[in-house]
Amino acid sequence: MACADYSTHVMDIPEARTVIAPLARVTLRTSLVSLSFLLTFLRAIGAQTGGLQEVEFSRLSQNDPNPLGTQALAINPQEWKHSETEHFIYHFVHGYVATPVATEAEFYYRVVVKELEREPPGGDTKSHIYIFERPEDWQQFQSAGRLEPWTGGIHSQGSLFIVRNPSYKFSDNSLGHEITHLVMHRFYPDGIPRWLDEGWAEYISKNAHASYQRARGYLAKPRSALVSPEAVFPLAAFVTMGYPAAPDAVSAFYTQSERLVRFLVGKDKASFLGLLDAQARHQPFEPTVLRLYSGKFASLASLEEQFRTYATGPASAENSAD
């Protein structure tokens, strides 16, 4: 969902999350990244972000040209602190709130790059992350930025604006979802279709968040929601559509996006990555997917038939596209 004057992504839609919760879920068979990779990463990044050393604003390595960043820092300007890690610059109030965000941000950056199986784009541009703590400050920012009143966070022009009220514990994949968007913006600055952008962000963040939690000693399994049969969008329309207007339809759109990405990756990841690059170059979905998945789908109707079966269940089935 886009705001009037900015290219933005909205996260934490209460209505959508309420609808998703009751849907049948399927346990994933495998995780994206190995435990050894995670443990090595967490040791390294823990040393890097421990305490998040503050940096004067004037000494940050890069400024943020995003006008929303200027509006954010104008709210209680005396309270903002600043820091940076290898790939991100942080603006925050308390270090104990920002440090977990920094750790996860660097973790998800590495996971996305690893899963894309390619070198990061050239240059040293860092994404800015603004961390609000008080609801009233976020509401003021919403008003200044002309955001919808129900937004819980946005990414805009390569920057991320989120709320992390220290009174609450955040343990879902929402931060990973938004960090995935930021990283993909670096690889594909001209954008990719909405279903692919949201589906990939959900796919990466669900799996990687569970792996991240397990590496920290928690019992966690990534889960992928099933699509209600009556809510499935026809693929021909789905792959070109933006966000639906109705909250229930938004929930179904996110779920189907994640399931379609998971289905195509399960069929053949190399073909999926080829599809990702092709869609970023604005190549049409149908002839491209049939060419890349030659031998697996004879037609779009064949793909749709297989995907509908996979996307809608049965709930007891293993989450595999094979």
Side-chain angles (χ1 to χ4, degrees):
M1 282 164 243
C3 298
D5 296 328
Y6 303 99
S7 172
T8 63
H9 167 79
V10 180
M11 76 176 192
D12 290 343
I13 305 172
E15 296 92 339
R17 293 189 182 280
T18 299
V19 173
I20 287 175
L23 295 177
R25 296 180 181 271
V26 183
T27 303
L28 306 182
R29 189 190 303 175
T30 58
S31 63
L32 282 168
V33 289
S34 68
L35 186 60
S36 61
F37 167 83
L38 281 163
L39 292 174
T40 300
F41 166 80
L42 289 174
R43 284 193 292 268
I45 202 62
Q48 182 186 113
T49 62
L52 265 188
Q53 184 176 1
E54 293 179 28
V55 178
E56 292 182 15
F57 181 77
S58 61
R59 300 190 67 180
L60 291 172
S61 63
Q62 299 170 22
N63 294 323
D64 187 1
N66 191 332
L68 281 180
T70 301
Q71 293 176 353
L73 296 180
I75 299 172
N76 296 321
Q78 73 283 356
E79 294 186 355
W80 288 102
K81 301 178 178 66
H82 318 277
S83 187
E84 56 186 297
T85 54
E86 184 178 356
H87 300 104
F88 301 94
I89 294 175
Y90 309 90
H91 309 277
F92 55 94
V93 177
H94 293 106
Y96 65 83
V97 175
T99 296
V101 172
T103 303
E104 284 198 58
E106 288 291 346
F107 164 73
Y108 282 110
Y109 179 92
R110 286 160 172 78
V111 170
V112 176
V113 172
K114 181 181 177 67
E115 291 304 311
L116 288 174
E117 299 179 7
R118 58 193 296 181
E119 291 298 317
D124 59 353
T125 301
K126 297 185 178 184
S127 299
H128 288 249
I129 300 177
Y130 299 79
I131 307 169
F132 291 83
E133 293 185 10
R134 292 191 293 265
E136 56 268 28
D137 291 344
W138 178 251
Q139 292 167 5
Q140 186 177 343
F141 174 68
Q142 288 175 313
S143 177
R146 290 184 288 175
L147 309 180
E148 295 290 345
W150 43 261
T151 54
I154 63 167
H155 74 75
S156 168
Q157 302 177 26
S159 300
L160 176 62
F161 305 82
I162 59 173
V163 183
R164 279 295 183 269
N165 187 333
S167 300
Y168 298 95
K169 181 179 180 180
F170 293 86
S171 59
D172 63 7
N173 67 305
S174 60
L175 178 60
H177 180 105
E178 299 305 323
I179 294 298
T180 302
H181 281 311
L182 288 185
V183 179
M184 294 299 286
H185 180 77
R186 298 188 189 188
F187 281 93
Y188 302 107
D190 293 333
I192 55 178
R194 188 67 67 194
W195 75 269
L196 192 52
D197 196 24
E198 297 300 349
W200 179 250
E202 281 291 277
Y203 170 75
I204 289 288
S205 60
K206 283 176 179 285
N207 288 340
H209 179 73
S211 297
Y212 178 85
Q213 293 293 83
R214 287 198 303 274
R216 298 173 65 224
Y218 295 97
L219 294 175
K221 294 181 179 181
R223 297 183 180 274
S224 177
L226 298 178
V227 184
S228 298
E230 64 275 10
V232 177
F233 298 97
L235 285 186
F238 179 71
V239 296
T240 61
M241 68 187 296
Y243 295 113
D248 286 356
V250 171
S251 169
F253 178 83
Y254 271 74
T255 303
Q256 183 165 331
S257 296
E258 190 268 346
R259 292 295 282 174
L260 182 54
V261 167
R262 194 175 296 280
F263 173 74
L264 292 172
V265 171
K267 283 292 185 182
D268 189 89
K269 185 177 180 183
S271 296
F272 172 80
L273 294 177
L275 176 65
L276 180 60
D277 284 340
Q279 290 269 271
R281 298 193 301 272
H282 311 293
Q283 296 182 9
F285 176 82
E286 182 175 351
T288 304
V289 74
L290 295 181
R291 172 176 57 83
L292 291 170
Y293 286 87
S294 176
K296 295 185 182 296
F297 311 122
S299 63
L300 186 63
S302 172
L303 164 58
E304 184 142 29
E305 181 181 5
Q306 293 183 47
F307 171 66
R308 175 178 279 271
T309 300
Y310 171 83
T312 59
S316 60
E318 283 268 329
N319 185 22
S320 170
D322 297 334

